[in-house]
Amino acid sequence: MSISYINIRVDNDIKKEAQDVFSSLGMDMTTAINIFLRQVIYLRSIPFAIASESAKKVPKPGCMKGKIWMADDFNAPLEDMKEYKY
């Protein structure tokens, strides 16, 4: 196997934080990047979702208030389904 070198520019703070994470996982930056590249090859795509901030719709706590109900009797919803049973 021959070795190739890749030179990239990264913000110093991002590099340091990433190195800290990789170190806590027991690997160095080179190993982490090689894992990423192998996943790209295996999946034939980026191995995580990429979306703009506006596309990320994270539900806020309490947003379903009044939209979800719970029956007083646990079996009540099952009784409603009997008519659909064959």
Side-chain angles (χ1 to χ4, degrees):
M1 171 175 89
S2 62
I3 304 270
S4 291
Y5 292 91
I6 299 173
N7 293 316
I8 61 171
R9 288 183 295 275
V10 178
D11 180 271
N12 287 331
D13 294 334
I14 291 174
K15 179 184 175 194
K16 172 71 173 104
E17 287 184 47
Q19 284 176 319
D20 291 345
V21 172
F22 299 145
S23 178
S24 73
L25 296 171
M27 66 179 80
D28 59 11
M29 182 79 69
T30 299
T31 302
I33 292 171
N34 275 299
I35 290 170
F36 169 77
L37 295 175
R38 287 177 184 272
Q39 282 295 295
V40 167
I41 293 165
Y42 177 75
L43 297 171
R44 309 301 297 163
S45 69
I46 302 290
F48 47 82
I50 299 176
S52 67
E53 279 299 316
S54 62
K56 295 179 184 177
K57 301 206 188 272
V58 179
K60 294 181 179 166
C63 70
M64 296 303 290
K65 189 173 185 176
K67 297 179 183 176
I68 298 176
W69 63 276
M70 183 175 282
D72 294 330
D73 176 9
F74 180 75
N75 290 318
L78 298 177
E79 293 294 324
D80 292 342
M81 296 302 293
K82 278 187 178 177
E83 65 184 81
Y84 300 105
K85 198 173 180 183
Y86 52 92

